Amino acid sequence: QNSEFRYPLSSSSPSKAEYDIEVRLVSDALSSDFPQNNYASIHKTLENCYAYDDGSAEAAYGIQGEGSSGGLAAVMFCPLAPDEIKGVYMYFCPIYGNKQADNFNLKIWDCQDGKPGSVIYSKRNVQVPKDNMQQWILVTIDEQLQVSDTFFVGWEKNSNKMIAIGFDKNSTSANPKYYNIGGTWKQSKEPGQIMMRPAFGDIATPV
């Protein structure tokens, strides 16, 4: 049922707002009422980026092995309104023995038949921040890039070494993940979310 939202939210921050939302069910059935079961809460953060993940990495996601050089990984996003992508937040994870690849190519594709289509932006040889792991790193977009329809954000490997991106195994409500080895895009079946977030608007304030 559609109805007017009666509790408008406000924030003093221009780029981030955090809310704790609580819902309680009140009943007059005192004899069989269990108050501890009539309560639900959730913490939400509204920021300048789209995200499927909850901000916590339980694992790492990547493409590895012989013949994986040139391999591609992509995450689908559907913008709520036309906007300009200013950068991409990526959560890099360490690999045992520091065997993370040195660099990668950032890629953004349009959507064709529900999968990544034509490349609409590419940034070559982005350095992997090996001394600055397990936190959000912003990879900036160097040109004006407007999106108004479904698009994909991801990376292209420049070697057989792995690009390890944080993987949130607790958020499984959607499956926007795709990979490409050998020229064919396939949907990833691993439950969870790749920790990549396209950023819009003011990106001067860290995520």
Side-chain angles (χ1 to χ4, degrees):
Q1 179 180 350
N2 294 325
S3 61
E4 182 181 353
F5 185 64
R6 301 187 181 188
Y7 306 99
L9 307 176
S10 61
S11 172
S12 59
S13 171
S15 61
K16 181 178 180 179
E18 297 194 49
Y19 301 101
D20 289 308
I21 301 174
E22 299 180 358
V23 178
R24 294 180 183 272
L25 177 64
V26 179
S27 171
D28 57 3
L30 299 179
S31 61
S32 59
D33 187 34
F34 296 94
Q36 62 269 31
N37 290 341
N38 297 343
Y39 167 80
S41 67
I42 190 171
H43 180 84
K44 285 293 184 181
T45 301
L46 305 181
E47 301 182 67
N48 60 351
C49 53
Y50 289 137
Y52 294 103
D53 64 89
D54 65 6
S56 175
E58 287 73 42
Y61 186 98
I63 301 170
Q64 63 178 336
E66 283 297 319
S68 66
S69 180
L72 304 162
V75 181
M76 175 193 290
F77 292 92
C78 303
L80 299 176
D83 208 338
E84 180 180 344
I85 303 178
K86 297 295 185 68
V88 178
Y89 290 107
M90 304 179 70
Y91 193 98
F92 292 90
C93 292
I95 297 178
Y96 178 76
N98 200 26
K99 295 181 180 180
Q100 177 92 282
D102 293 326
N103 58 65
F104 63 96
N105 300 330
L106 179 72
K107 297 280 188 178
I108 300 178
W109 299 264
D110 64 10
C111 180
Q112 295 180 11
D113 298 325
K115 297 180 179 180
S118 301
V119 175
I120 58 176
Y121 178 80
S122 179
K123 187 172 186 176
R124 296 186 56 80
N125 299 321
V126 178
Q127 296 299 305
V128 174
K130 296 185 178 181
D131 297 328
N132 205 14
M133 295 282 188
Q134 292 182 289
Q135 61 180 305
W136 291 104
I137 302 296
L138 175 65
V139 181
T140 57
I141 302 298
D142 299 328
E143 61 186 59
Q144 288 188 335
L145 181 61
Q146 293 282 338
V147 292
S148 59
D149 205 345
T150 301
F151 65 96
F152 292 80
V153 173
W155 68 90
E156 176 184 31
K157 295 182 61 178
N158 290 328
S159 70
N160 286 330
K161 290 185 177 181
M162 186 175 176
I163 302 293
I165 304 299
F167 194 64
D168 171 21
K169 300 183 74 173
N170 294 326
S171 302
T172 59
S173 59
N175 186 17
K177 309 177 301 295
Y178 291 80
Y179 67 94
N180 186 328
I181 302 176
T184 301
W185 285 103
K186 296 181 180 179
Q187 192 170 25
S188 175
K189 296 181 180 180
E190 188 70 24
Q193 304 299 343
I194 300 174
M195 295 175 68
M196 296 187 69
R197 300 176 173 183
F200 302 82
D202 179 17
I203 60 174
T205 302
V207 66

